[in-house]
Amino acid sequence: MEPSTEYVAFEEKVKKTIYIDNLSPQVTKAVLEYAINQFGNVKDVRFVPTYSASCGVCAALVEMESAKQAEEIICDMGDSPLMISGMPRPVRARKARVEMFEDRPKKYPRTIVCRWMDRSHQNFELAKKIKDLTKKHGAEAQYLMELQVEEEEKLHKQQSETLKTNYKKYELIDDADGNVKRLKAEYGMTLNDHY
Amino acid sequence: MEKVNEDVKLDFKWLKQRGVGGKNKMTRFYESFEYDGVEYMQYDCVYMYKDDSHEPNIGKLTKIWEHPDKSKKVKIHWFFRPEEISHWLRETKTLENEVFLASGEGRGLANINPLEAIAGRCNVVCISKDVRNPQPSDEELKAADFVFNRTFDVQSCTVLDKMDDKVGGLEIEYIFNRKKGDTKEEIPNTIISTEAQITKTVDPQDSDVSSSLKRNAESDKSHDRPLKRIKSNDKCVESAVALGPEKMTELPSIKSKVDKDKMQVSIVPAEKIENKERIKTPTGSDKLHDQPSKRMKSAGKKPLEEKSVQLKVIQPAADSKSKQEDKVPADVNNLKTTAENQKNGSFKVPDNKKPWTYMNEKDSVANSASPKGKSKSGSLDSPGDNNNSMAVKEEQSGELKRKLSVDRPLKASALSTDKDKYKPFVVTPRPNVEKSTWFRQAPWEERLKEAYDKGTAILLHNLKPDYTSEDVQNLIWHAFKEIDCSVKILPRTAISSPHYDQALVLLKTKEAAQRILTELDEGCLMLSDERPLVGTPCPQISTKKYLTFFGHLAVDKARFQNQREDEAVSTSHFSQPNTIEYDMAMEWCLQQLKSKKWWAKFHKQQGFELKKLEKELKQKRT
């Protein structure tokens, strides 16, 4: 069976698209477009909607002019960290995949057949097990996501502490500079200005 | 070495001598030896122990000798695992147990190690289609620990397919599979854990590994790669790989031994002593599968506090020396263990998150319902594709199977009205819904929020990946006779499961939503490939602005909480090394990599569990 032409065109588009996540929620379409335009021609930017509260990251699908551009950008972003609208958390890029798009066309024309399973059927219990497993998986994934957000929060706090102390250090140094100058004036000394 | 032999009483016996050489003809070369009950021959593949890492290195014994001072050495020609050269592999597909033979010249090709560093025999089969290579049989392939057919040139850092007559100085016939009749019976691998040794392992791509692993160097160290290497050189000499506290006393003696060896051995020019970093999470995957299920039963334990002990045998390295080492290996180990712990922890859903009692209040249920898959599916491209093509095939074969078994439910009971329910039905497009124009007005997000508030939204799971929104709408019409519904398939994100898709369904009334959920829960609506459809109430929705995002810091104390909306110009830049920002960025990259790995492992595990049950179901059907 040949995939439909619509699907083939869609696949082409997917090849040219980069999936970027770890974006700040404040990043707008314009910002992202501008950022990626430095590396290539951006054709389209679409945000991947996030509905759940627990999900920590925002992501977007950026369509480039060619698949090669997309690949190059992904490699570059893998080598050195790119920051958009804030630092130091870098964004992450990877190749887009078909399932990432919301509105994808059908690959093959096909019909779906479903049925309700007979309760007395021997496989009913098994099917129920699969259902329960699916639900369990969902809960697990949710939990994992929460753990991840916790880790991120920890890192963030730790880094902001580091930054604060660094900043204080710089402030101290700056202040010292001012003090030295005052003292110099007071005592009427000359100083060799190394700085 | 004498001290080593005292503490570790592993049997050793030279077998076949090959010749003599070296200074004064006192060095003896051997062809085979027996160590700890295992017989090793020249050109066998072995596992080489590496300090406080979970994965041993794989190498080929190319030379075996004994010095006049009774120290035993082996020259190891390395194999690379895909993870170690992932940076240069890029998108190249690799088999699950594929490794790459080192080729070319220079660092990373081969090393001399003490014989005691051997951790066990390894079965590596060459699957190259070269005419000179005896092709392995199917049983041999199955029994193989690893396979290889490509080489990795350590000079140019490229993957090569073709093999010349010599690969890295090794004759080709010793690289290909041995001709039948040469090999002796396979001895199963033994990974020896109670040894003290120094392993002089090589980090061939030190500079590039650091970028691909996004090393977190100490902030006062410069980021010059050669500098780093030298520093780790120093530290490695001090850090003997002691696997138990009692072995610490051997450090000074072994250190002096190392120096002596340097003077004596003039064969190999390059002796680099570095730690090879690995960020790979352990592949004790069998054990990993068992563990979580056990843990699920024991509730209430804090997941992150548990130390994972399921890896093959290796005990954690003594602390005192780890402080001396590069911060990086320690970090890498921590991340490995925390990644493991994360994984383990994640399988222990706390008791209050019982997912399948949706009769209770909305809050507890909302908490426990599945997340919106927002991020991308698992990291490798190939499994996803395989899933898709497999899914399509399964669907087709599933349909065939169903046609055969369609008679069964009909035959089983005499009642007519109930049985009609169990007939398979084709999901055709539902009748036109022109009249409900109010549906089209508000944008999806608003409608979703509204629906969530009113309780008319549900989340469907276990949909096949190639379903579209219309398919699901039609399905709902056929199964539940609900016309007024709006469906959106949730796009896959980095963290959503690659095994199935989810969809949000907005219904008109709360009762409809409840009814559907009840029916889905009590009965089993089987989709095309014997997957039961699962429905849960919609989890909590939140709009974008209120999402908490960690990681953006502002130097200005006044606005510490990443409020950057008032910035006139949006900034985006590549971070430069030698800045604090870069260091922090590296930490984030590490975090991201960690998260990528654990999600991948998580999904793999889930897939495994799902497939097991699905297979059972299919088997019982036929």
Side-chain angles (χ1 to χ4, degrees), chain A residues 1 19 21-26 31 35 38-39 47-53 55-59 75-76 78-90 92 94-95 97 99-102 104 106 108 110-119 121-124 126-149 151-153 155-156 159-160 162-164 166-167 170-171, chain B residues 87 90 214 303 342 345-346 349-350 353 367 369-372 374-377 384 388 395 402 408 419 421-422 424-427 444 448 462 465-468 471 475 480 488 490-495 500-501 504 520-526 528 530 532-534 540-542 544 547 549-553 555 557 560 570-575 580-581 584-585 587-589 591-592 594-595 598-599 602 606 609 616-617 620-621:
Chain A
M1 250 203 289
Y19 172 86
D21 70 350
N22 273 269
L23 286 169
S24 153
Q26 279 111 16
V31 166
Q38 301 173 52
F39 317 109
F47 280 95
V48 175
T50 168
Y51 302 121
S52 144
C55 185
V57 290
C58 303
C75 285
D76 284 338
D79 286 337
S80 47
L82 173 69
M83 293 159 199
I84 300 186
S85 271
M87 55 99 183
R89 183 167 179 177
R92 191 165 62 159
R94 56 175 100 182
K95 277 196 173 169
R97 298 184 53 193
E99 298 89 16
M100 292 178 177
F101 289 79
E102 278 184 320
R104 42 193 192 261
K106 274 196 224 183
Y108 306 108
R110 47 146 177 73
T111 49
I112 306 176
V113 186
C114 335
R115 61 187 184 92
W116 286 99
M117 195 177 238
D118 184 1
R119 230 164 269 263
H121 196 262
Q122 54 171 347
N123 285 342
F124 193 77
L126 209 52
K128 246 191 153 290
K129 261 200 228 165
I130 297 184
K131 280 204 300 184
D132 290 341
L133 188 69
T134 316
K135 289 187 193 164
K136 184 180 92 161
H137 283 174
E140 287 170 355
Q142 175 112 349
Y143 186 58
L144 185 59
M145 187 71 228
E146 284 175 21
L147 283 179
Q148 178 169 316
V149 172
E151 284 277 308
E152 290 172 1
E153 182 171 1
L155 183 59
H156 173 92
Q159 284 188 339
S160 69
T162 318
L163 193 63
K164 255 197 271 191
N166 263 310
Y167 193 65
Y170 289 140
E171 271 192 337
Chain B
H87 182 78
R90 297 271 163 93
K214 315 262 193 289
Q342 296 286 21
S346 70
V349 178
K353 291 188 190 284
N367 279 341
S370 23
K372 289 291 169 286
K374 209 204 163 282
S375 336
K376 197 185 171 228
S377 62
N388 266 335
E395 180 192 36
R402 205 172 317 97
R408 231 195 289 168
K419 263 314 143 190
K421 191 175 182 226
Y422 297 126
F425 49 87
V426 179
V427 174
W444 173 264
L448 180 59
N462 228 356
D466 57 349
Y467 278 21
T468 62
D471 287 333
L475 174 71
F480 309 104
K488 208 172 185 96
L490 291 176
R492 287 235 190 117
T493 59
I495 59 166
Y500 59 81
D501 271 349
L504 274 172
L520 276 178
D521 209 55
E522 289 176 3
C524 283
L525 179 59
M526 307 299 281
S528 308
E530 294 308 294
L533 189 62
V534 176
Q540 195 174 21
I541 310 289
S542 77
K544 216 169 181 187
L547 283 178
F549 184 72
F550 295 113
H552 279 190
L553 303 168
V555 177
K557 286 187 274 191
F560 237 117
S570 61
T571 50
S572 73
H573 60 286
F574 275 120
S575 176
I580 293 180
E581 187 190 64
M584 293 189 176
E587 284 175 7
W588 277 108
C589 288
Q591 173 72 29
Q592 287 167 352
K594 259 203 264 183
S595 116
W598 73 51
W599 279 107
F602 179 68
Q606 286 194 334
E609 286 173 6
E616 248 185 87
L617 192 65
K620 283 202 172 154
R621 291 226 64 202

Side-chain angles (χ1 to χ4, degrees), chain B residues 213-484:
Chain B
L213 291 184
K214 315 262 193 289
R215 244 192 245 185
N216 181 14
E218 289 144 23
S219 48
D220 55 347
K221 271 198 202 162
S222 79
H223 285 266
D224 272 344
R225 281 120 189 216
L227 246 184
K228 234 190 253 181
R229 235 181 284 142
I230 295 168
K231 286 201 179 193
S232 58
N233 260 333
D234 294 338
K235 300 206 170 137
C236 290
V237 172
E238 293 160 21
S239 61
V241 183
L243 283 187
E246 70 271 14
K247 306 271 180 11
M248 291 308 287
T249 51
E250 295 169 13
L251 275 173
S253 65
I254 293 175
K255 180 175 177 181
S256 58
K257 269 288 158 196
V258 169
D259 294 335
K260 219 159 131 197
D261 288 341
K262 271 195 185 152
M263 293 189 294
Q264 277 181 344
V265 176
S266 52
I267 301 169
V268 174
E271 273 191 358
K272 301 286 192 299
I273 310 166
E274 283 161 297
N275 276 330
K276 203 170 185 179
E277 274 79 39
R278 287 176 182 270
I279 217 172
K280 188 175 145 185
T281 49
T283 57
S285 49
D286 306 323
K287 296 193 186 147
L288 196 58
H289 287 145
D290 289 338
Q291 288 273 17
S293 55
K294 282 191 210 141
R295 297 250 184 90
M296 274 301 291
K297 293 173 191 157
S298 68
K301 238 166 116 186
K302 197 90 177 97
L304 291 173
E305 286 161 20
E306 288 165 309
K307 203 73 175 113
S308 58
V309 281
Q310 67 236 43
L311 297 169
K312 305 173 194 170
V313 206
I314 302 172
Q315 301 160 24
D319 270 348
S320 56
K321 71 158 169 65
S322 61
K323 292 196 191 95
Q324 285 291 326
E325 283 171 318
D326 263 10
K327 205 159 100 170
V328 179
D331 279 350
V332 167
N333 286 325
N334 283 340
L335 91 85
K336 265 185 281 178
T337 48
T338 48
E340 273 181 278
N341 286 338
Q342 296 286 21
K343 290 193 298 297
N344 295 336
S346 70
F347 295 116
K348 283 166 38 204
V349 178
D351 280 340
N352 60 359
K353 291 188 190 284
K354 291 237 166 21
W356 40 92
T357 54
Y358 65 88
M359 300 300 192
N360 300 341
E361 310 92 39
K362 211 153 89 163
D363 308 287
S364 60
V365 169
N367 279 341
S368 58
S370 23
K372 289 291 169 286
K374 209 204 163 282
S375 336
K376 197 185 171 228
S377 62
S379 42
L380 298 165
D381 275 335
S382 36
D385 290 338
N386 283 342
N387 265 344
N388 266 335
S389 53
M390 267 197 324
V392 171
K393 288 200 197 105
E394 278 172 11
E395 180 192 36
Q396 296 168 1
S397 63
E399 281 177 55
L400 283 172
K401 276 192 196 159
R402 205 172 317 97
K403 292 208 181 79
L404 295 171
S405 59
V406 126
D407 309 319
R408 231 195 289 168
L410 289 178
K411 275 191 233 157
S413 122
L415 303 168
S416 53
T417 49
D418 250 0
K419 263 314 143 190
D420 285 348
K421 191 175 182 226
Y422 297 126
K423 263 209 294 218
F425 49 87
V426 179
V427 174
T428 55
R430 56 190 185 159
N432 244 325
V433 209
E434 297 284 12
K435 53 185 166 108
S436 54
T437 48
W438 65 273
F439 249 159
R440 314 274 185 260
Q441 282 166 6
W444 173 264
E445 269 89 21
E446 279 180 35
R447 277 192 278 149
L448 180 59
K449 191 95 196 2
E450 218 182 283
Y452 173 70
D453 291 332
K454 284 200 284 183
T456 64
I458 59 176
L459 182 63
L460 293 177
H461 309 244
N462 228 356
L463 290 168
K464 271 187 53 186
D466 57 349
Y467 278 21
T468 62
S469 303
E470 282 114 39
D471 287 333
V472 181
Q473 272 172 337
N474 301 334
L475 174 71
I476 294 189
W477 155 243
H478 277 276
F480 309 104
K481 306 291 180 257
E482 285 289 331
I483 277 196
D484 269 350

